Amino acid sequence: MSITVAGRRMPVTDALREYAEEKIGSSMKVMDISPLEAEVVLFVEKNPANPRPAVCEVTLRTKGHIIRVEESEEDMYAAIDVAAAKVLRQLRKFKTKVLDRKLRGTGEVPVAAPVNQELDVEGLMNELAEDDEVVRVKEITFEPLTEEEALVKIDLLGHDFFAYTDRDTNLVNVLYRRDDGGYGLLKQKDDE
């Protein structure tokens, strides 16, 4: 288990670093998932109208899965506390949905190879919104997954959509979070 703490446009004091390592580390130890790596990024938003400017982002990587948590609070210590609690919930969800399914004897589910780059959806959408001109192209690898595995991934990543290759049909599918709750699935039409 390794934890990296960094600041974005701000220095991270030793006390803040130790606090983040202790809180996030204790959440990670409770679930006893190995190997598990965490990257913690702390920053303060400069907008004076924002009542919760302190932000704690946590990205966990384990066994080909990525779990991402972002929390905002009035001060950095509170943001770390809330993020640590959410990390624990996400790890429980991961362990319940992914690991326990293997132990129940329903057959071993092959884990897809980890994606080399995480898709920065928010940054990409902001770039695309300017002048309706493609200003950046990002290449990603579509993972062969089942619909259930894709649901786990979109939930763990916290993204609004997730693209993957259906393991059974080998066609591209897009899973998206609906505004009124639940998920939608866009399936590529099989032309055969």
Side-chain angles (χ1 to χ4, degrees), residues 136-150:
R136 180 176 175 208
V137 175
K138 189 168 188 175
E139 293 181 8
I140 62 170
T141 304
F142 288 103
E143 299 179 56
L145 301 171
T146 64
E147 187 176 318
E148 183 178 307
E149 290 170 333

Side-chain angles (χ1 to χ4, degrees), residues 171 188-192:
L171 297 174
Q188 181 180 350
K189 204 174 198 180
D190 190 4
D191 293 333
E192 291 179 17

